[in-house]
Amino acid sequence: MTSDFVAYSPDYWALFLEFWRFEDANAVWVMVGSILLGISASVIGGFAFLRKRSLMGDALAHAALPGVMTAFILFHAHTPLLMFFGALISSFLGLFLMDWIPKHTKIKPDAAMAITLSFFFALGLMELSYIQGMEVAGKSGLDKILFGQAAAMLPSDIYLLSAVALVVLLTVAVFFQKFRLIAFNRTYAQSLGLNIAFYELVLALLIVMSVVIGLQIVGVVLMAAVLLTPVAAARFWGHSLSVMLLTAGFIGGLSGLFSANISYMAPAMPTGPWMVVVLSLVFAVSFLFAPQRGLISSVLKQRRLRRQVCDENVLRTLYVLNERHPANSHHAQNALALDLPFAEEDILALRTMPLAELKETLARMKKLGWLTATDTVRAVALSPEGVERAVALTRRHRLWENYLTEQLDLTPDRVHSQAEQIEHLLTDEETRALERELQSDQKGSLKDPHGRRIPAVQVASEQKGAES
């Protein structure tokens, strides 16, 4: 018995290698077009993202649909240049409506975008239905503009896409400083005499052009993802605008390359949707694993900060316990014995925290060398390094309390809780600036708002000297 059908099982590895040999001209066109679109759309989309007008790209893409359909109805052809100018005019009409409606009515900008998007998309779909009933040649493939059809790209499409992408990138490079100023501080840019309306028009034109050239690859429905997802992912990797845009361009180009490769290996899967899937995966990886702003990095930082706060709270509590001990009642501030032993109960009497957390904190501090073992069971004492840290912390705490009462006129009963938080954040340089601000040249002689002396930094070294 023989089967009439043979299952199709492509050799994906062979197709993968075949793609990278660049022997298939159509695959090369798709790859080049996808990369150029990914780079140019990502860079210009960054400005829309920063100006909190993310929906604008989506609305402009939908507004382009009736322009393409109208151009075909009028000329019975869909050459790249004809479609480009049809979509360009239609998108500009959409842009005009999105700007005009909020200025002349009580409708909010986001609602105006939604109205424009819905109206133009519905109009485009109606025209598409009308074209399907027309007896004209060349109407096939027009519906592919909804989700893109990169495989149908011709050299003429690539030429137009390359020219527009180049214009977009060069214009951004020339006007980068102006665009940046408008994106971050529109009022300041206006005070400098910058022609805001002109540069916003240029920016809008570039966004429209990027949207229009992306319709054939990604389609009307998914174009917004190519504009916005790369820069959203890039924000996790860089702080400055230039780094962020370069990263977004790299991510956009990379998504174009991978999507073209996947689409070549699996022809039933179009390039546009794969491009969006790749971008979404890059965004997810950036969101989770970016070293500075990723979710995992943030969780680890918060965990380290919680541990630091616990350690420093216990250090300062031990300093206060030492300070209040009867053995130090007749000692000067710079002669306090700060290595007296204290039990866990003594610490908990001054510092509210769960016993299990205190035990964990004490064990960690012993490993760090901030505490020393004592002869008394369950008692701890500050080591020389622990004394030094406890003195510095207490000094920062009490200096900040003084600053709040002397500079901000807060009452003493309101300053302790605020100093409890800021003592963990102040650096040595900021502490020195605080000392200068308070004119504390006579270190060790100042008192905090509660009448307690502020320890001087040399106490720790003196403590070490006394022990030696």
Side-chain angles (χ1 to χ4, degrees):
M1 181 178 177
T2 58
S3 173
D4 294 331
F5 302 98
V6 177
Y8 175 63
S9 55
D11 185 344
Y12 290 110
W13 179 245
L15 289 171
F16 176 80
L17 295 177
E18 190 176 294
F19 176 84
W20 290 103
R21 283 197 291 269
F22 306 116
E23 293 174 347
D24 189 325
N26 189 56
V28 174
W29 295 338
V30 172
M31 181 189 71
V32 171
S34 302
I35 292 174
L36 287 173
L37 172 66
I39 295 173
S40 60
S42 303
V43 171
I44 196 62
F47 290 100
F49 183 86
L50 291 172
R51 295 178 65 213
K52 300 179 180 178
R53 302 194 71 181
S54 301
L55 190 58
M56 188 172 76
D58 198 23
L60 290 176
H62 284 74
L65 184 61
V68 174
M69 300 305 159
T70 304
F72 182 83
I73 292 172
L74 292 177
F75 299 99
H76 291 182
H78 57 94
T79 62
L81 207 56
L82 187 63
M83 297 296 105
F84 175 77
F85 282 109
L88 197 65
I89 294 169
S90 183
S91 292
F92 255 110
L93 284 174
L95 183 66
F96 171 76
L97 273 182
M98 284 188 285
D99 186 58
W100 186 88
I101 291 175
K103 287 181 179 175
H104 297 84
T105 67
K106 293 183 179 180
I107 297 174
K108 300 293 183 185
D110 56 343
M113 287 187 189
I115 291 169
T116 306
L117 182 153
S118 307
F119 170 69
F120 277 83
F121 190 54
L123 185 63
L125 290 178
M126 288 172 62
E127 288 184 298
L128 180 60
S129 300
Y130 174 74
I131 290 171
Q132 299 302 324
M134 291 172 64
E135 296 295 334
V136 293
K139 65 180 181 183
S140 62
L142 275 176
D143 57 330
K144 302 298 183 185
I145 199 173
L146 292 176
F147 299 102
Q149 190 183 31
M153 291 185 75
L154 300 172
S156 56
D157 297 313
I158 296 296
Y159 298 149
L160 178 62
L161 195 152
S162 305
V164 174
L166 197 61
V167 168
V168 169
L169 294 175
L170 284 177
T171 310
V172 169
V174 171
F175 295 123
F176 176 75
Q177 297 298 340
K178 310 286 191 308
F179 290 160
R180 177 166 66 176
L181 198 55
I182 292 171
F184 286 108
N185 199 332
R186 181 188 170 90
T187 306
Y188 180 62
Q190 210 161 10
S191 69
L192 292 177
L194 219 60
N195 190 340
I196 303 288
F198 169 74
Y199 290 109
E200 286 197 329
L201 181 65
V202 173
L203 199 57
L205 175 63
L206 297 179
I207 294 174
V208 169
M209 290 168 66
S210 298
V211 166
V212 171
I213 61 170
L215 294 181
Q216 184 158 0
I217 296 178
V218 182
V220 169
V221 178
L222 299 176
M223 188 58 213
V226 181
L227 278 171
L228 304 173
T229 309
V231 71
R235 290 201 71 178
F236 291 103
W237 299 96
H239 298 279
S240 69
L241 179 60
S242 54
V243 171
M244 196 171 70
L245 292 183
L246 286 173
T247 308
F250 175 75
I251 292 172
L254 204 64
S255 70
L257 179 64
F258 284 150
S259 60
N261 192 355
I262 295 170
S263 182
Y264 183 80
M265 294 165 61
M269 298 182 181
T271 305
W274 265 114
M275 197 168 177
V276 176
V277 169
V278 172
L279 285 174
S280 301
L281 289 175
V282 173
F283 174 81
V285 169
S286 304
F287 171 71
L288 289 173
F289 301 109
Q292 296 298 324
R293 298 182 174 185
L295 179 64
I296 293 176
S297 173
S298 298
V299 170
L300 292 176
K301 281 180 185 174
Q302 289 175 7
R303 188 181 175 189
R304 282 197 294 270
L305 181 60
R306 278 199 300 272
R307 286 183 172 181
Q308 177 195 338
V309 169
C310 282
D311 293 350
E312 292 182 350
N313 282 342
V314 171
L315 276 176
R316 210 170 60 75
T317 302
L318 285 170
Y319 179 91
V320 174
L321 286 170
N322 277 291
E323 189 181 43
R324 294 179 181 178
H325 196 279
N328 285 320
S329 58
H330 301 295
H331 290 174
Q333 184 69 31
N334 59 356
L336 293 177
L338 296 175
D339 56 353
L340 301 174
F342 293 96
E344 295 171 355
E345 293 76 11
D346 299 325
I347 298 173
L348 290 174
L350 280 186
R351 177 69 59 181
T352 303
M353 62 191 302
L355 179 60
E357 187 177 27
L358 175 62
K359 287 179 177 295
E360 183 183 341
T361 303
L362 293 177
R364 186 168 57 247
M365 292 170 66
K366 284 178 183 175
K367 286 183 181 177
L368 292 170
W370 298 353
L371 299 178
T372 57
T374 64
D375 297 334
T376 309
V377 179
R378 297 175 61 190
V380 294
L382 289 171
S383 69
E385 184 180 354
V387 167
E388 190 171 349
R389 289 177 178 276
V391 167
L393 272 167
T394 306
R395 180 171 178 76
R396 287 205 294 265
H397 179 96
R398 295 178 181 178
L399 281 173
W400 188 253
E401 285 185 328
N402 266 9
Y403 177 79
L404 293 177
T405 53
E406 292 181 13
Q407 304 294 324
L408 302 182
D409 294 329
L410 295 182
T411 56
D413 59 316
R414 296 176 57 192
V415 298
H416 176 72
S417 59
Q418 296 189 37
E420 277 273 300
Q421 298 175 20
I422 204 71
E423 71 187 22
H424 305 294
L425 305 175
L426 282 177
T427 63
D428 291 340
E429 185 180 349
E430 289 167 342
T431 304
R432 286 192 291 272
L434 198 59
E435 291 169 354
R436 290 194 295 271
E437 183 72 19
L438 296 170
Q439 297 179 344
S440 57
D441 294 329
Q442 299 174 342
K443 295 176 182 177
S445 63
L446 286 175
K447 290 185 178 181
D448 71 3
H450 309 287
R452 299 167 302 190
R453 288 190 175 276
I454 299 175
V457 289
Q458 60 266 31
V459 169
S461 56
E462 288 175 1
Q463 181 73 19
K464 289 178 186 176
E467 288 176 352
S468 62

mmCIF file with all atom_site columns, all heavy atoms in Angstrom, residues 332-353:
data_model
loop_
_atom_site.group_PDB
_atom_site.id
_atom_site.type_symbol
_atom_site.label_atom_id
_atom_site.label_alt_id
_atom_site.label_comp_id
_atom_site.label_asym_id
_atom_site.label_entity_id
_atom_site.label_seq_id
_atom_site.pdbx_PDB_ins_code
_atom_site.Cartn_x
_atom_site.Cartn_y
_atom_site.Cartn_z
_atom_site.occupancy
_atom_site.B_iso_or_equiv
_atom_site.pdbx_formal_charge
_atom_site.auth_seq_id
_atom_site.auth_comp_id
_atom_site.auth_asym_id
_atom_site.auth_atom_id
_atom_site.pdbx_PDB_model_num
ATOM 1   N N   . ALA A 1 332 ? 33.993 61.578 78.348 1.00 0.00 ? 332 ALA A N   1
ATOM 2   C CA  . ALA A 1 332 ? 33.770 62.560 77.287 1.00 0.00 ? 332 ALA A CA  1
ATOM 3   C C   . ALA A 1 332 ? 33.391 61.826 76.005 1.00 0.00 ? 332 ALA A C   1
ATOM 4   O O   . ALA A 1 332 ? 33.622 60.621 75.857 1.00 0.00 ? 332 ALA A O   1
ATOM 5   C CB  . ALA A 1 332 ? 35.033 63.390 77.077 1.00 0.00 ? 332 ALA A CB  1
ATOM 6   N N   . GLN A 1 333 ? 32.821 62.581 75.038 1.00 0.00 ? 333 GLN A N   1
ATOM 7   C CA  . GLN A 1 333 ? 32.350 61.956 73.816 1.00 0.00 ? 333 GLN A CA  1
ATOM 8   C C   . GLN A 1 333 ? 33.461 61.227 73.066 1.00 0.00 ? 333 GLN A C   1
ATOM 9   O O   . GLN A 1 333 ? 33.259 60.172 72.516 1.00 0.00 ? 333 GLN A O   1
ATOM 10  C CB  . GLN A 1 333 ? 31.743 63.037 72.902 1.00 0.00 ? 333 GLN A CB  1
ATOM 11  C CG  . GLN A 1 333 ? 31.123 62.507 71.625 1.00 0.00 ? 333 GLN A CG  1
ATOM 12  C CD  . GLN A 1 333 ? 29.866 61.707 71.887 1.00 0.00 ? 333 GLN A CD  1
ATOM 13  O OE1 . GLN A 1 333 ? 29.154 61.989 72.840 1.00 0.00 ? 333 GLN A OE1 1
ATOM 14  N NE2 . GLN A 1 333 ? 29.600 60.707 71.055 1.00 0.00 ? 333 GLN A NE2 1
ATOM 15  N N   . ASN A 1 334 ? 34.643 61.818 73.088 1.00 0.00 ? 334 ASN A N   1
ATOM 16  C CA  . ASN A 1 334 ? 35.727 61.199 72.332 1.00 0.00 ? 334 ASN A CA  1
ATOM 17  C C   . ASN A 1 334 ? 36.453 60.112 73.113 1.00 0.00 ? 334 ASN A C   1
ATOM 18  O O   . ASN A 1 334 ? 37.471 59.610 72.687 1.00 0.00 ? 334 ASN A O   1
ATOM 19  C CB  . ASN A 1 334 ? 36.733 62.260 71.870 1.00 0.00 ? 334 ASN A CB  1
ATOM 20  C CG  . ASN A 1 334 ? 37.322 63.012 73.053 1.00 0.00 ? 334 ASN A CG  1
ATOM 21  O OD1 . ASN A 1 334 ? 36.928 62.782 74.201 1.00 0.00 ? 334 ASN A OD1 1
ATOM 22  N ND2 . ASN A 1 334 ? 38.254 63.903 72.758 1.00 0.00 ? 334 ASN A ND2 1
ATOM 23  N N   . ALA A 1 335 ? 35.915 59.784 74.299 1.00 0.00 ? 335 ALA A N   1
ATOM 24  C CA  . ALA A 1 335 ? 36.553 58.733 75.106 1.00 0.00 ? 335 ALA A CA  1
ATOM 25  C C   . ALA A 1 335 ? 35.577 57.619 75.446 1.00 0.00 ? 335 ALA A C   1
ATOM 26  O O   . ALA A 1 335 ? 35.811 56.847 76.372 1.00 0.00 ? 335 ALA A O   1
ATOM 27  C CB  . ALA A 1 335 ? 37.134 59.333 76.386 1.00 0.00 ? 335 ALA A CB  1
ATOM 28  N N   . LEU A 1 336 ? 34.467 57.541 74.716 1.00 0.00 ? 336 LEU A N   1
ATOM 29  C CA  . LEU A 1 336 ? 33.467 56.508 74.996 1.00 0.00 ? 336 LEU A CA  1
ATOM 30  C C   . LEU A 1 336 ? 34.022 55.132 74.674 1.00 0.00 ? 336 LEU A C   1
ATOM 31  O O   . LEU A 1 336 ? 34.756 54.949 73.694 1.00 0.00 ? 336 LEU A O   1
ATOM 32  C CB  . LEU A 1 336 ? 32.218 56.753 74.146 1.00 0.00 ? 336 LEU A CB  1
ATOM 33  C CG  . LEU A 1 336 ? 31.392 58.009 74.443 1.00 0.00 ? 336 LEU A CG  1
ATOM 34  C CD1 . LEU A 1 336 ? 30.240 58.111 73.454 1.00 0.00 ? 336 LEU A CD1 1
ATOM 35  C CD2 . LEU A 1 336 ? 30.871 57.977 75.874 1.00 0.00 ? 336 LEU A CD2 1
ATOM 36  N N   . ALA A 1 337 ? 33.653 54.168 75.521 1.00 0.00 ? 337 ALA A N   1
ATOM 37  C CA  . ALA A 1 337 ? 33.970 52.766 75.203 1.00 0.00 ? 337 ALA A CA  1
ATOM 38  C C   . ALA A 1 337 ? 32.826 52.241 74.334 1.00 0.00 ? 337 ALA A C   1
ATOM 39  O O   . ALA A 1 337 ? 31.691 52.137 74.796 1.00 0.00 ? 337 ALA A O   1
ATOM 40  C CB  . ALA A 1 337 ? 34.081 51.958 76.481 1.00 0.00 ? 337 ALA A CB  1
ATOM 41  N N   . LEU A 1 338 ? 33.132 51.934 73.085 1.00 0.00 ? 338 LEU A N   1
ATOM 42  C CA  . LEU A 1 338 ? 32.070 51.566 72.138 1.00 0.00 ? 338 LEU A CA  1
ATOM 43  C C   . LEU A 1 338 ? 32.073 50.086 71.790 1.00 0.00 ? 338 LEU A C   1
ATOM 44  O O   . LEU A 1 338 ? 31.405 49.671 70.850 1.00 0.00 ? 338 LEU A O   1
ATOM 45  C CB  . LEU A 1 338 ? 32.234 52.388 70.845 1.00 0.00 ? 338 LEU A CB  1
ATOM 46  C CG  . LEU A 1 338 ? 32.047 53.901 71.031 1.00 0.00 ? 338 LEU A CG  1
ATOM 47  C CD1 . LEU A 1 338 ? 32.353 54.630 69.740 1.00 0.00 ? 338 LEU A CD1 1
ATOM 48  C CD2 . LEU A 1 338 ? 30.636 54.216 71.498 1.00 0.00 ? 338 LEU A CD2 1
ATOM 49  N N   . ASP A 1 339 ? 32.790 49.283 72.552 1.00 0.00 ? 339 ASP A N   1
ATOM 50  C CA  . ASP A 1 339 ? 32.840 47.854 72.254 1.00 0.00 ? 339 ASP A CA  1
ATOM 51  C C   . ASP A 1 339 ? 32.282 47.019 73.405 1.00 0.00 ? 339 ASP A C   1
ATOM 52  O O   . ASP A 1 339 ? 32.711 45.904 73.644 1.00 0.00 ? 339 ASP A O   1
ATOM 53  C CB  . ASP A 1 339 ? 34.278 47.435 71.948 1.00 0.00 ? 339 ASP A CB  1
ATOM 54  C CG  . ASP A 1 339 ? 35.233 47.792 73.080 1.00 0.00 ? 339 ASP A CG  1
ATOM 55  O OD1 . ASP A 1 339 ? 34.790 48.481 74.029 1.00 0.00 ? 339 ASP A OD1 1
ATOM 56  O OD2 . ASP A 1 339 ? 36.396 47.388 73.015 1.00 0.00 ? 339 ASP A OD2 1
ATOM 57  N N   . LEU A 1 340 ? 31.309 47.599 74.117 1.00 0.00 ? 340 LEU A N   1
ATOM 58  C CA  . LEU A 1 340 ? 30.692 46.865 75.225 1.00 0.00 ? 340 LEU A CA  1
ATOM 59  C C   . LEU A 1 340 ? 29.724 45.820 74.685 1.00 0.00 ? 340 LEU A C   1
ATOM 60  O O   . LEU A 1 340 ? 29.107 46.021 73.637 1.00 0.00 ? 340 LEU A O   1
ATOM 61  C CB  . LEU A 1 340 ? 29.934 47.854 76.130 1.00 0.00 ? 340 LEU A CB  1
ATOM 62  C CG  . LEU A 1 340 ? 30.796 48.978 76.732 1.00 0.00 ? 340 LEU A CG  1
ATOM 63  C CD1 . LEU A 1 340 ? 29.925 49.970 77.485 1.00 0.00 ? 340 LEU A CD1 1
ATOM 64  C CD2 . LEU A 1 340 ? 31.847 48.372 77.680 1.00 0.00 ? 340 LEU A CD2 1
ATOM 65  N N   . PRO A 1 341 ? 29.581 44.674 75.377 1.00 0.00 ? 341 PRO A N   1
ATOM 66  C CA  . PRO A 1 341 ? 28.694 43.612 74.869 1.00 0.00 ? 341 PRO A CA  1
ATOM 67  C C   . PRO A 1 341 ? 27.220 43.898 75.187 1.00 0.00 ? 341 PRO A C   1
ATOM 68  O O   . PRO A 1 341 ? 26.894 44.427 76.233 1.00 0.00 ? 341 PRO A O   1
ATOM 69  C CB  . PRO A 1 341 ? 29.190 42.378 75.643 1.00 0.00 ? 341 PRO A CB  1
ATOM 70  C CG  . PRO A 1 341 ? 29.768 42.912 76.895 1.00 0.00 ? 341 PRO A CG  1
ATOM 71  C CD  . PRO A 1 341 ? 30.344 44.259 76.578 1.00 0.00 ? 341 PRO A CD  1
ATOM 72  N N   . PHE A 1 342 ? 26.363 43.515 74.232 1.00 0.00 ? 342 PHE A N   1
ATOM 73  C CA  . PHE A 1 342 ? 24.915 43.686 74.431 1.00 0.00 ? 342 PHE A CA  1
ATOM 74  C C   . PHE A 1 342 ? 24.195 42.461 73.889 1.00 0.00 ? 342 PHE A C   1
ATOM 75  O O   . PHE A 1 342 ? 24.609 41.863 72.886 1.00 0.00 ? 342 PHE A O   1
ATOM 76  C CB  . PHE A 1 342 ? 24.408 44.931 73.705 1.00 0.00 ? 342 PHE A CB  1
ATOM 77  C CG  . PHE A 1 342 ? 24.940 46.208 74.297 1.00 0.00 ? 342 PHE A CG  1
ATOM 78  C CD1 . PHE A 1 342 ? 26.054 46.831 73.762 1.00 0.00 ? 342 PHE A CD1 1
ATOM 79  C CD2 . PHE A 1 342 ? 24.332 46.769 75.414 1.00 0.00 ? 342 PHE A CD2 1
ATOM 80  C CE1 . PHE A 1 342 ? 26.556 47.990 74.308 1.00 0.00 ? 342 PHE A CE1 1
ATOM 81  C CE2 . PHE A 1 342 ? 24.832 47.938 75.966 1.00 0.00 ? 342 PHE A CE2 1
ATOM 82  C CZ  . PHE A 1 342 ? 25.948 48.553 75.420 1.00 0.00 ? 342 PHE A CZ  1
ATOM 83  N N   . ALA A 1 343 ? 23.095 42.100 74.545 1.00 0.00 ? 343 ALA A N   1
ATOM 84  C CA  . ALA A 1 343 ? 22.303 40.938 74.148 1.00 0.00 ? 343 ALA A CA  1
ATOM 85  C C   . ALA A 1 343 ? 21.289 41.331 73.083 1.00 0.00 ? 343 ALA A C   1
ATOM 86  O O   . ALA A 1 343 ? 21.016 42.521 72.862 1.00 0.00 ? 343 ALA A O   1
ATOM 87  C CB  . ALA A 1 343 ? 21.591 40.356 75.366 1.00 0.00 ? 343 ALA A CB  1
ATOM 88  N N   . GLU A 1 344 ? 20.703 40.317 72.459 1.00 0.00 ? 344 GLU A N   1
ATOM 89  C CA  . GLU A 1 344 ? 19.688 40.590 71.435 1.00 0.00 ? 344 GLU A CA  1
ATOM 90  C C   . GLU A 1 344 ? 18.504 41.348 72.019 1.00 0.00 ? 344 GLU A C   1
ATOM 91  O O   . GLU A 1 344 ? 17.903 42.203 71.361 1.00 0.00 ? 344 GLU A O   1
ATOM 92  C CB  . GLU A 1 344 ? 19.211 39.264 70.830 1.00 0.00 ? 344 GLU A CB  1
ATOM 93  C CG  . GLU A 1 344 ? 20.290 38.519 70.061 1.00 0.00 ? 344 GLU A CG  1
ATOM 94  C CD  . GLU A 1 344 ? 19.855 37.128 69.668 1.00 0.00 ? 344 GLU A CD  1
ATOM 95  O OE1 . GLU A 1 344 ? 18.747 36.720 70.076 1.00 0.00 ? 344 GLU A OE1 1
ATOM 96  O OE2 . GLU A 1 344 ? 20.611 36.446 68.957 1.00 0.00 ? 344 GLU A OE2 1
ATOM 97  N N   . GLU A 1 345 ? 18.151 41.024 73.271 1.00 0.00 ? 345 GLU A N   1
ATOM 98  C CA  . GLU A 1 345 ? 17.022 41.704 73.902 1.00 0.00 ? 345 GLU A CA  1
ATOM 99  C C   . GLU A 1 345 ? 17.287 43.193 74.046 1.00 0.00 ? 345 GLU A C   1
ATOM 100 O O   . GLU A 1 345 ? 16.373 44.021 73.926 1.00 0.00 ? 345 GLU A O   1
ATOM 101 C CB  . GLU A 1 345 ? 16.743 41.098 75.293 1.00 0.00 ? 345 GLU A CB  1
ATOM 102 C CG  . GLU A 1 345 ? 16.236 39.671 75.276 1.00 0.00 ? 345 GLU A CG  1
ATOM 103 C CD  . GLU A 1 345 ? 17.325 38.640 74.983 1.00 0.00 ? 345 GLU A CD  1
ATOM 104 O OE1 . GLU A 1 345 ? 18.518 39.024 74.999 1.00 0.00 ? 345 GLU A OE1 1
ATOM 105 O OE2 . GLU A 1 345 ? 16.987 37.485 74.705 1.00 0.00 ? 345 GLU A OE2 1
ATOM 106 N N   . ASP A 1 346 ? 18.545 43.563 74.321 1.00 0.00 ? 346 ASP A N   1
ATOM 107 C CA  . ASP A 1 346 ? 18.892 44.984 74.449 1.00 0.00 ? 346 ASP A CA  1
ATOM 108 C C   . ASP A 1 346 ? 18.668 45.706 73.111 1.00 0.00 ? 346 ASP A C   1
ATOM 109 O O   . ASP A 1 346 ? 18.178 46.839 73.074 1.00 0.00 ? 346 ASP A O   1
ATOM 110 C CB  . ASP A 1 346 ? 20.357 45.136 74.869 1.00 0.00 ? 346 ASP A CB  1
ATOM 111 C CG  . ASP A 1 346 ? 20.625 44.497 76.220 1.00 0.00 ? 346 ASP A CG  1
ATOM 112 O OD1 . ASP A 1 346 ? 19.722 44.548 77.079 1.00 0.00 ? 346 ASP A OD1 1
ATOM 113 O OD2 . ASP A 1 346 ? 21.726 43.935 76.395 1.00 0.00 ? 346 ASP A OD2 1
ATOM 114 N N   . ILE A 1 347 ? 19.075 45.049 72.034 1.00 0.00 ? 347 ILE A N   1
ATOM 115 C CA  . ILE A 1 347 ? 18.907 45.675 70.709 1.00 0.00 ? 347 ILE A CA  1
ATOM 116 C C   . ILE A 1 347 ? 17.431 45.821 70.380 1.00 0.00 ? 347 ILE A C   1
ATOM 117 O O   . ILE A 1 347 ? 16.976 46.870 69.906 1.00 0.00 ? 347 ILE A O   1
ATOM 118 C CB  . ILE A 1 347 ? 19.627 44.832 69.638 1.00 0.00 ? 347 ILE A CB  1
ATOM 119 C CG1 . ILE A 1 347 ? 21.126 44.787 69.931 1.00 0.00 ? 347 ILE A CG1 1
ATOM 120 C CG2 . ILE A 1 347 ? 19.381 45.411 68.249 1.00 0.00 ? 347 ILE A CG2 1
ATOM 121 C CD1 . ILE A 1 347 ? 21.899 43.842 69.040 1.00 0.00 ? 347 ILE A CD1 1
ATOM 122 N N   . LEU A 1 348 ? 16.640 44.755 70.660 1.00 0.00 ? 348 LEU A N   1
ATOM 123 C CA  . LEU A 1 348 ? 15.213 44.795 70.339 1.00 0.00 ? 348 LEU A CA  1
ATOM 124 C C   . LEU A 1 348 ? 14.460 45.817 71.191 1.00 0.00 ? 348 LEU A C   1
ATOM 125 O O   . LEU A 1 348 ? 13.399 46.296 70.796 1.00 0.00 ? 348 LEU A O   1
ATOM 126 C CB  . LEU A 1 348 ? 14.604 43.399 70.545 1.00 0.00 ? 348 LEU A CB  1
ATOM 127 C CG  . LEU A 1 348 ? 15.056 42.344 69.520 1.00 0.00 ? 348 LEU A CG  1
ATOM 128 C CD1 . LEU A 1 348 ? 14.522 40.982 69.887 1.00 0.00 ? 348 LEU A CD1 1
ATOM 129 C CD2 . LEU A 1 348 ? 14.579 42.741 68.125 1.00 0.00 ? 348 LEU A CD2 1
ATOM 130 N N   . ALA A 1 349 ? 15.022 46.151 72.350 1.00 0.00 ? 349 ALA A N   1
ATOM 131 C CA  . ALA A 1 349 ? 14.361 47.160 73.183 1.00 0.00 ? 349 ALA A CA  1
ATOM 132 C C   . ALA A 1 349 ? 14.412 48.535 72.538 1.00 0.00 ? 349 ALA A C   1
ATOM 133 O O   . ALA A 1 349 ? 13.547 49.385 72.771 1.00 0.00 ? 349 ALA A O   1
ATOM 134 C CB  . ALA A 1 349 ? 15.026 47.206 74.565 1.00 0.00 ? 349 ALA A CB  1
ATOM 135 N N   . LEU A 1 350 ? 15.422 48.782 71.712 1.00 0.00 ? 350 LEU A N   1
ATOM 136 C CA  . LEU A 1 350 ? 15.554 50.081 71.041 1.00 0.00 ? 350 LEU A CA  1
ATOM 137 C C   . LEU A 1 350 ? 15.132 50.040 69.573 1.00 0.00 ? 350 LEU A C   1
ATOM 138 O O   . LEU A 1 350 ? 14.741 51.053 69.006 1.00 0.00 ? 350 LEU A O   1
ATOM 139 C CB  . LEU A 1 350 ? 17.014 50.557 71.110 1.00 0.00 ? 350 LEU A CB  1
ATOM 140 C CG  . LEU A 1 350 ? 17.492 51.192 72.402 1.00 0.00 ? 350 LEU A CG  1
ATOM 141 C CD1 . LEU A 1 350 ? 18.904 51.724 72.215 1.00 0.00 ? 350 LEU A CD1 1
ATOM 142 C CD2 . LEU A 1 350 ? 16.579 52.325 72.825 1.00 0.00 ? 350 LEU A CD2 1
ATOM 143 N N   . ARG A 1 351 ? 15.268 48.895 68.949 1.00 0.00 ? 351 ARG A N   1
ATOM 144 C CA  . ARG A 1 351 ? 15.020 48.786 67.509 1.00 0.00 ? 351 ARG A CA  1
ATOM 145 C C   . ARG A 1 351 ? 13.930 47.747 67.249 1.00 0.00 ? 351 ARG A C   1
ATOM 146 O O   . ARG A 1 351 ? 14.117 46.566 67.506 1.00 0.00 ? 351 ARG A O   1
ATOM 147 C CB  . ARG A 1 351 ? 16.318 48.379 66.805 1.00 0.00 ? 351 ARG A CB  1
ATOM 148 C CG  . ARG A 1 351 ? 16.209 48.147 65.338 1.00 0.00 ? 351 ARG A CG  1
ATOM 149 C CD  . ARG A 1 351 ? 15.951 49.413 64.573 1.00 0.00 ? 351 ARG A CD  1
ATOM 150 N NE  . ARG A 1 351 ? 17.006 50.400 64.774 1.00 0.00 ? 351 ARG A NE  1
ATOM 151 C CZ  . ARG A 1 351 ? 16.984 51.621 64.207 1.00 0.00 ? 351 ARG A CZ  1
ATOM 152 N NH1 . ARG A 1 351 ? 15.972 51.963 63.418 1.00 0.00 ? 351 ARG A NH1 1
ATOM 153 N NH2 . ARG A 1 351 ? 17.960 52.482 64.451 1.00 0.00 ? 351 ARG A NH2 1
ATOM 154 N N   . THR A 1 352 ? 12.822 48.168 66.700 1.00 0.00 ? 352 THR A N   1
ATOM 155 C CA  . THR A 1 352 ? 11.724 47.248 66.411 1.00 0.00 ? 352 THR A CA  1
ATOM 156 C C   . THR A 1 352 ? 12.008 46.483 65.128 1.00 0.00 ? 352 THR A C   1
ATOM 157 O O   . THR A 1 352 ? 12.109 47.064 64.055 1.00 0.00 ? 352 THR A O   1
ATOM 158 C CB  . THR A 1 352 ? 10.403 48.023 66.254 1.00 0.00 ? 352 THR A CB  1
ATOM 159 O OG1 . THR A 1 352 ? 10.172 48.776 67.445 1.00 0.00 ? 352 THR A OG1 1
ATOM 160 C CG2 . THR A 1 352 ? 9.247  47.080 66.014 1.00 0.00 ? 352 THR A CG2 1
ATOM 161 N N   . MET A 1 353 ? 12.170 45.184 65.275 1.00 0.00 ? 353 MET A N   1
ATOM 162 C CA  . MET A 1 353 ? 12.357 44.320 64.107 1.00 0.00 ? 353 MET A CA  1
ATOM 163 C C   . MET A 1 353 ? 12.134 42.877 64.545 1.00 0.00 ? 353 MET A C   1
ATOM 164 O O   . MET A 1 353 ? 12.317 42.547 65.723 1.00 0.00 ? 353 MET A O   1
ATOM 165 C CB  . MET A 1 353 ? 13.755 44.493 63.501 1.00 0.00 ? 353 MET A CB  1
ATOM 166 C CG  . MET A 1 353 ? 14.899 44.117 64.409 1.00 0.00 ? 353 MET A CG  1
ATOM 167 S SD  . MET A 1 353 ? 16.531 44.626 63.774 1.00 0.00 ? 353 MET A SD  1
ATOM 168 C CE  . MET A 1 353 ? 16.604 43.813 62.199 1.00 0.00 ? 353 MET A CE  1
#
